[in-house]
Amino acid sequence: MYNAEIRAEAAAKATAASEGHAHPRVIELPKTEEGLGFNVMGGKEQASPIYISRIIPGGAAHKDGNLRRGDQLLSVNGHSVEKASHETAVDLLKNASGKVRLVVKYTPKVLEEMESRFERQKASRRGRGIPQ
């Protein structure tokens, strides 16, 4: 019975992780002249968390290897961005210097849903003749 419980718990954790639920991680990246080496999307004005949308090849995040596309950005140097606007999060990242401490959690399913919603909105605007 004990082994069955362990297997059931492990299966539940694996399912949760595959559905985008993960524990927060701390990543420290060096701020270079080129920046931190990633792009973000989302923000409270879009009713969305801030996500890592792209890791720039050769950048600090890429060289470090711990930040992933699909990570939700929770804080920058101790400043929460969980309910922040896109602009606020970007300002915190741009104004940071030296070693930048990020708290993130991996939630790829939520990022996929958000990107899909943005694509539908963009297509809807094109269909109504609204410039991109």
Side-chain angles (χ1 to χ4, degrees):
M1 182 68 175
Y2 182 71
N3 285 338
E5 288 174 12
I6 291 173
R7 280 196 298 273
E9 185 176 330
K13 287 180 181 177
T15 300
S18 72
E19 291 174 356
H21 305 288
H23 297 289
R25 316 185 311 280
V26 176
I27 298 172
E28 289 189 351
L29 295 175
K31 179 81 175 269
T32 68
E33 290 181 14
E34 291 82 32
L36 293 164
F38 63 89
N39 294 345
V40 296
M41 68 183 295
K44 73 176 181 181
E45 67 278 13
Q46 299 166 359
S48 166
I50 306 290
Y51 281 92
I52 307 304
S53 59
R54 179 172 178 243
I55 303 293
I56 299 168
H62 181 252
K63 289 176 184 173
D64 177 76
N66 289 307
L67 194 65
R68 299 189 283 186
R69 182 180 182 282
D71 276 334
Q72 179 184 341
L73 187 60
L74 302 175
S75 72
V76 178
N77 286 338
H79 298 278
S80 175
V81 295
E82 288 188 77
K83 295 182 175 146
S85 69
H86 183 84
E87 182 180 6
T88 297
V90 169
D91 286 346
L92 283 169
L93 293 164
K94 284 188 175 186
N95 293 326
S97 60
K99 279 256 189 223
V100 180
R101 184 181 176 96
L102 308 172
V103 178
V104 300
K105 68 179 177 179
Y106 190 56
T107 55
K109 294 281 187 197
V110 180
L111 176 63
E112 290 170 16
E113 291 167 8
M114 187 172 75
E115 287 178 331
S116 176
R117 187 178 74 222
F118 288 157
E119 285 303 315
R120 285 193 306 273
Q121 289 171 349
K122 193 187 293 185
S124 175
R125 285 193 301 269
R126 275 195 303 265
R128 293 188 312 236
I130 299 171
Q132 300 299 306

